[in-house]
Amino acid sequence: TALVDTVHAYFREGTNVTRTARALYVHPNTVVKRLARVADLLGDDWQSPDRALELHMALHLRSLADRV
């Protein structure tokens, strides 16, 4: 879940690593390493506009579903 939480925070924080790290209470290098792991799992294009939109929406829907 650390990777999912990191990507979700990354999008929430406007794809800013420093703000993401602050929001997650981790060092920015930790965020960078987690995002690199996400790229390993999802492919280097995970941050392309279309793919990022899909991921952002999926994460948002997941968080909404968790509230119910």
Side-chain angles (χ1 to χ4, degrees), residues 1-25 34-35 46 52 55-57 59-60 62-64 66-67:
T1 61
L3 293 180
V4 172
D5 292 342
T6 300
V7 173
H8 199 187
Y10 182 67
F11 287 137
R12 271 194 329 267
E13 298 301 327
T15 67
N16 183 291
V17 171
T18 303
R19 289 195 323 245
T20 302
R22 232 180 273 134
L24 296 173
Y25 302 103
R34 288 179 184 175
L35 295 177
W46 75 271
L55 288 168
H56 195 181
M57 289 179 68
L59 291 168
H60 187 68
R62 179 181 175 261
S63 69
L64 290 174
D66 287 346
R67 293 181 192 172

Side-chain angles (χ1 to χ4, degrees), residues 21-38:
R22 232 180 273 134
L24 296 173
Y25 302 103
V26 298
H27 193 276
N29 288 344
T30 302
V31 173
V32 170
K33 288 178 184 180
R34 288 179 184 175
L35 295 177
R37 179 69 178 132
V38 169

